[in-house]
Amino acid sequence: MAGIEELSPAAGPVETRPPEGEIDEDEDEELDETILERLWGLTEMFPDTLRSAAEVTASGSVTVAKKLYSFSRAALWVGTTSFMILVLPVVFETERLQLEQQQLQQQRQILLGPNAGMSGGMPGLMPPAPVKM
Amino acid sequence: MGNVLAASSPAPPSAPGSGVVQGGPGLVSVPPGFSMPSVPPPSVPGQPAGETGSPLPNPGTYEECHRKCKEVVPIQLEGVRLVVNKGLSNHFQVSHTVTLSTLAESGYRFGATYVGTQQTGPAESFPVMMGDMDNTGSLNAQVIHQLTSAVRSKIAIQTQQHKFVNWQCDLEYRGDDFTSAVTLGNPDVLLGSGIIVAHYLQSISPALALGGELVYHRRPGEEGAVTSLMGRYTGNNYVATLTLGGAGAHATYYHRANDQLQLGVEFEGSMRTQETAVSFGYQLDLPKANLLFKGSVDSNWVVGAVLEKKLLPLPLSLALGAFLNQKKNTFQCGVNVTVG
């Protein structure tokens, strides 16, 4: 009689323990997630609004970074080529002119003494062109 | 003189406008149908406005008003061009041009200029005859002559190989304080087609000049007219010009910053294509370095510059040009060498 009572469902929870050797296999079968999936699963502890806000921020900043990178590439190219076309030749020529004038001044100094080459002695210095309207 | 083929979409046909009837200098009578600028004509003809005692200056021609700004902007050079100019005498000059280009046809062009003996000013002599012939046989010819002290006439023809493409004749009258011009373009009596352009420019004050243009074009079965008004204000070191017409608006501003730097800003809006463009140009003049540099930036993302240098001991002049379209990423450069 007591044996039948023991086996009936009303008897209460029965503690069963599988034999030792099977424990590791079962645990291994349950652990079919990779490390990354487990770490990602940890984020599920945060509330939904926080999770969605973080996701939007992250993707938004990636987009902004990409756009900024491509914009700065284009801007650098446009700036460099425009500078090259609009400003560089004049810079070259004025530098060359300065060097020439310096050289001539030095030559004059050597020829005529230290106080010779200063004012009015530079060749090629023409009076400014009259204002034409 | 004038862009004869400037007629665009026909406006409602107004009465055909011919030139302004001119009497003596200062007498302005306007034929009906000709649109005058919105300024009351001088009430006392023949007397300077305001009776300040100093007469108003002649305002120049209609086409020259935008020219100061256009000269500051560089021209796009393409390929290699060698120009040899030789003056055979005081009156006669000959030029040979060899053009090598990747985009267009390469060719040789021979040009001759004859300047006559009637001298009207320190730098002007008349008649002036210029002719230009291509290696394919295309001819450009112009004859400019000063008929009387106030009337100048010009005849120009242009052919493409043996076919006449453009033939026009124009007459310009310079009064004391106004200029009027009539141009007859491609008149064809047999077909009944042609273009008539009438210009009028009047000095309102020593700084302000107002003017108008009327273009009437006619083809068998179709005729139309376009009018436009123009105002030009000249300041101490700047010139501002505005042209408003049926074809759109065109405004230019020219500023002389110092004796080395000149700036120009140009705004163009077209009614036909509904497009606007702004361009900014500058010209840097360094006579010490024998250098002339022109640069321009456009609202169509076009950046361009032309560098002209005189290689002095020889009468040689070198021009290098580069134009870059940033948006379409196309580039064009060219070299011009001028001898003599």
Side-chain angles (χ1 to χ4, degrees):
Chain A
M1 289 304 186
I4 295 178
E5 276 191 21
E6 250 182 86
L7 292 172
S8 74
V14 172
E15 201 176 343
T16 56
R17 265 190 96 228
E20 286 270 345
E22 295 176 18
I23 292 179
D24 295 319
E25 289 172 38
D26 280 345
E27 286 182 9
D28 278 340
E29 280 168 24
E30 290 168 23
L31 293 178
D32 55 0
E33 298 176 333
T34 66
I35 284 287
L36 287 175
E37 284 174 353
R38 291 182 77 191
L39 288 173
W40 185 254
L42 283 179
T43 64
E44 289 173 5
M45 75 169 133
F46 297 114
D48 263 343
T49 52
L50 184 62
R51 289 181 70 196
S52 58
E55 180 179 339
V56 164
T57 311
S59 66
S61 53
V62 166
T63 311
V64 165
K66 280 189 193 167
K67 282 200 181 156
L68 195 65
Y69 173 68
S70 66
F71 172 75
S72 62
R73 277 184 72 181
L76 188 64
W77 173 252
V78 168
T80 304
T81 53
S82 303
F83 175 78
M84 204 173 77
I85 289 183
L86 292 178
V87 179
L88 209 53
V90 181
V91 166
F92 283 160
E93 284 295 321
T94 50
E95 288 283 322
R96 214 168 67 100
L97 179 68
Q98 269 186 15
L99 278 177
E100 253 182 54
Q101 286 184 343
Q102 258 183 16
Q103 227 183 17
L104 284 169
Q105 201 185 16
Q106 274 183 0
Q107 271 188 2
R108 277 180 172 267
Q109 274 194 357
I110 293 174
L111 268 181
L112 305 168
N115 291 328
M118 289 310 289
S119 55
M122 290 192 240
L125 192 67
M126 301 195 300
V131 174
K132 292 178 264 203
M133 280 305 290
Chain B
M1 204 180 206
N3 185 1
V4 168
L5 301 176
S8 56
S9 60
S14 49
S18 51
V20 179
V21 174
Q22 40 265 42
L27 268 178
V28 178
S29 58
V30 183
F34 181 70
S35 55
M36 275 285 283
S38 57
V39 164
S43 50
V44 187
Q47 287 197 7
E51 291 170 314
T52 55
S54 63
L56 292 175
N58 183 281
T61 65
Y62 190 88
E63 293 84 19
E64 273 177 15
C65 293
H66 285 290
R67 195 170 294 169
K68 270 206 145 0
C69 179
K70 294 254 184 210
E71 280 174 353
V72 166
V73 176
I75 315 172
Q76 194 156 355
L77 298 182
E78 193 266 323
V80 173
R81 174 185 296 230
L82 172 70
V83 178
V84 179
N85 288 329
K86 185 138 176 75
L88 296 178
S89 84
N90 257 346
H91 299 282
F92 195 65
Q93 189 186 15
V94 153
S95 87
H96 306 268
T97 307
V98 177
T99 312
L100 303 168
S101 116
T102 51
L103 298 177
E105 290 279 318
S106 307
Y108 165 78
R109 173 161 255 173
F110 174 78
T113 305
Y114 170 76
V115 173
T117 49
Q118 176 190 347
Q119 192 145 25
T120 55
E124 291 184 336
S125 298
F126 290 99
V128 174
M129 299 198 244
M130 302 190 283
D132 228 276
M133 179 158 276
D134 204 353
N135 62 322
T136 59
S138 311
L139 171 74
N140 283 351
Q142 278 188 14
V143 177
I144 308 177
H145 191 50
Q146 188 94 19
L147 295 174
T148 75
S149 67
V151 179
R152 185 184 298 190
S153 79
K154 175 170 119 163
I155 300 178
I157 61 171
Q158 188 180 0
T159 75
Q160 195 112 3
Q161 277 109 45
H162 60 276
K163 236 177 1 149
F164 277 79
V165 166
N166 259 346
W167 56 103
Q168 73 184 64
C169 160
D170 82 38
L171 224 62
E172 174 195 297
Y173 179 82
R174 268 187 206 236
D176 273 352
D177 58 355
F178 74 96
T179 307
S180 67
V182 178
T183 305
L184 184 61
N186 292 17
D188 193 341
V189 188
L190 300 175
L191 273 181
S193 75
I195 301 177
I196 296 182
V197 180
H199 287 159
Y200 181 77
L201 188 60
Q202 165 91 44
S203 272
I204 309 295
S205 83
L208 182 65
L210 295 177
E213 168 185 53
L214 176 69
V215 178
Y216 171 75
H217 64 94
R218 186 201 166 106
R219 262 197 293 267
E222 177 219 343
E223 61 178 13
V226 181
T227 60
S228 60
L229 303 175
M230 186 181 77
R232 178 187 73 189
Y233 187 80
T234 308
N236 203 2
N237 57 350
Y238 65 90
V239 177
T241 313
L242 173 67
T243 303
L244 290 172
H250 186 201
T252 62
Y253 176 75
Y254 164 86
H255 185 93
R256 189 180 194 109
N258 54 37
D259 59 356
Q260 287 181 347
L261 185 61
Q262 297 171 39
L263 308 167
V265 183
E266 177 176 352
F267 168 80
E268 199 155 342
S270 159
M271 205 66 120
R272 207 165 18 123
T273 58
Q274 299 282 324
E275 277 177 3
T276 61
V278 180
S279 80
F280 167 74
Y282 62 94
Q283 173 173 324
L284 197 62
D285 229 318
L286 294 176
K288 281 183 272 186
N290 291 318
L291 180 75
L292 186 73
F293 185 80
K294 297 186 188 176
S296 89
V297 183
D298 204 327
S299 71
N300 297 329
W301 291 82
V302 174
V303 168
V306 167
L307 174 94
E308 265 180 44
K309 195 156 166 71
K310 287 201 250 231
L311 307 174
L312 234 284
L314 304 168
L316 206 63
S317 153
L318 179 71
L320 304 167
F323 262 74
L324 175 60
N325 188 330
Q326 301 279 14
K327 213 193 258 180
K328 300 190 209 155
N329 215 8
T330 59
F331 177 75
Q332 199 174 74
C333 67
V335 179
N336 273 13
V337 179
T338 305
V339 180

